[in-house]
Amino acid sequence: MDIPDGVKITINARIIEVEGPRGKLTRNFKHLNLDFQLIKDEEGKRKLKIDAWFGSRKTSAAIRTALSHVENLITGVTKGYRYKMRFVYAHFPINASITNSSTAIEIRNFLGEKKVIFFYYFRETNCSLRLVLVFDTFFFENFLILLILGLESEKNSIFF
């Protein structure tokens, strides 16, 4: 797998750290019996090589899975990911606001309840989570746009 310019990859005991212009992400591959190596080809390009010794069908499938995870890390630190969510309601209009310096969402009037619901961002990394609440007056819809670095760990820990 080719490593693009501006991305630094560090491998230490099957823990891969990818650092790029948008931040730094870490992924642990200790559960897989694979060898990770950083090499240079004949043209001087940096590459990531993944080996499996005497692998079965499951192990060969794990090679491609590990490559896909590293590609997702590289995409996260170079471009980032953007999720666009929409608040939908049938009868009771939902009111949402962003609080705590863009790290929490406060939802009011969910299913007509008087209780205020808070959703917090639980990830403790140096990545920046920016929440943008867009009110479209023509369609009367609320959008929430999440800009995050990683797919697996950060997406699962955002508001659950």
Side-chain angles (χ1 to χ4, degrees), residues 95-152:
N95 297 325
S97 62
I98 299 169
T99 59
N100 293 348
S101 68
S102 253
T103 58
I105 296 178
E106 177 182 296
I107 296 179
R108 296 180 183 273
N109 202 24
F110 180 72
L111 297 178
E113 293 179 346
K114 298 295 180 188
K115 186 174 110 177
V116 179
I117 303 170
F118 289 97
F119 291 106
Y120 295 98
Y121 178 69
F122 292 115
R123 189 83 174 147
E124 295 178 5
T125 59
N126 58 355
C127 84
S128 62
L129 174 73
R130 286 175 277 166
L131 305 177
V132 181
L133 202 55
V134 179
F135 294 100
D136 192 350
T137 56
F138 183 70
F139 292 109
F140 300 107
E141 296 173 344
N142 301 338
F143 292 101
L144 177 67
I145 299 171
L146 301 171
L147 303 173
I148 61 174
L149 289 182
L151 269 182
E152 292 87 13

Side-chain angles (χ1 to χ4, degrees), residues 1 9 11 14 16 29 32-39 47-53 59-71:
M1 170 186 166
I9 293 183
I11 300 171
R14 292 189 212 148
I16 295 183
F29 290 103
L32 297 176
N33 194 11
L34 301 173
D35 292 336
F36 295 91
Q37 295 175 351
L38 289 173
I39 60 172
K47 291 186 178 259
L48 176 68
K49 181 181 175 186
I50 300 178
D51 289 328
W53 297 92
T59 312
S60 61
I63 292 173
R64 182 64 191 153
T65 302
L67 275 174
S68 297
H69 284 303
V70 174
E71 285 176 0

